[in-house]
Amino acid sequence: MAVERTLSIIKPDATKRNLTGKINQKFEDNGLRIVAQKRIQLTEDQAKKFYAVHAERPFYKDLVSFMISGPVVVQVLEGDDAVAQNRKIMGATNPAEADEGTIRAEFAENIEANSVHGSDSAENAAIEVSFFFSENEIVG
Ligand code: CMP
């Protein structure tokens, strides 16, 4: 198993409900290390750019509004198979379909306000990590 890094975002629905610590506990309990982390307010421009792959989807506009509706915590998670492992810890995009014990099953409000984002491939992880962090901000 290769040690990987993945980009995680704790979304505004979760930061508003003060769930950052509980969500971080899930990552740490399941073998991922938080090797970079910052709490920021995304600008509309940043949110649009970050989710540009979804620009043609019907939910894009609402998604951008939601992601700028409050602070987010952006983080780099590191560990064995971190991309896949984080997706397991998060659970399905739609909380109604998420396995018991996953972050989205426990904390998400709906398919949009689903508490966390995680990169979907190693290739996208590298792009998404560099969207928010420079190499010297990541300390493994
Ligand atoms: P995320 O993993 O951040 O990637 C895209 C986001 O779009 C997704 O989580 C959801 O928050 C949001 N979204 C809203 N509606 C949908 C939908 N119908 N299908 C997929 N993602 C959606």
Side-chain angles (χ1 to χ4, degrees):
M1 244 187 280
V3 174
E4 289 178 341
R5 286 177 175 171
T6 190
L7 191 276
S8 165
I9 306 178
I10 301 179
K11 297 186 180 184
D13 65 288
T15 60
K16 272 183 193 152
R17 288 176 291 147
N18 218 16
L19 292 170
T20 300
K22 285 195 171 126
I23 290 173
N24 280 347
Q25 191 74 55
K26 292 268 192 202
F27 297 138
E28 295 187 339
D29 285 349
N30 288 284
L32 296 180
R33 305 176 70 81
I34 301 160
V35 295
Q37 174 167 264
K38 54 191 173 191
R39 182 175 168 106
I40 58 173
Q41 172 65 51
L42 286 176
T43 64
E44 185 174 348
D45 242 33
Q46 276 178 309
K48 280 184 174 163
K49 234 181 251 167
F50 184 80
Y51 279 120
V53 290
H54 296 305
E56 303 308 320
R57 308 286 286 275
F59 56 82
Y60 179 65
K61 221 171 150 220
D62 282 350
L63 173 62
V64 169
S65 303
F66 165 65
M67 290 300 289
I68 63 171
S69 67
V72 297
V73 176
V74 293
Q75 9 179 234
V76 181
L77 307 178
E78 185 180 86
D80 288 337
D81 262 340
V83 173
Q85 176 67 357
N86 185 37
R87 293 182 73 75
K88 226 191 262 173
I89 298 166
M90 290 192 298
T93 305
N94 184 350
E97 292 162 12
D99 289 342
E100 202 180 318
T102 61
I103 291 170
R104 284 165 171 162
E106 280 188 27
F107 303 123
E109 297 182 318
N110 53 59
I111 196 169
E112 176 180 88
N114 64 354
S115 299
V116 279
H117 165 83
S119 308
D120 64 2
S121 65
E123 193 189 358
N124 282 337
I127 296 167
E128 292 182 357
V129 165
S130 66
F131 189 90
F132 290 111
F133 294 96
S134 56
E135 214 26 67
N136 65 5
E137 290 178 301
I138 306 169
V139 184

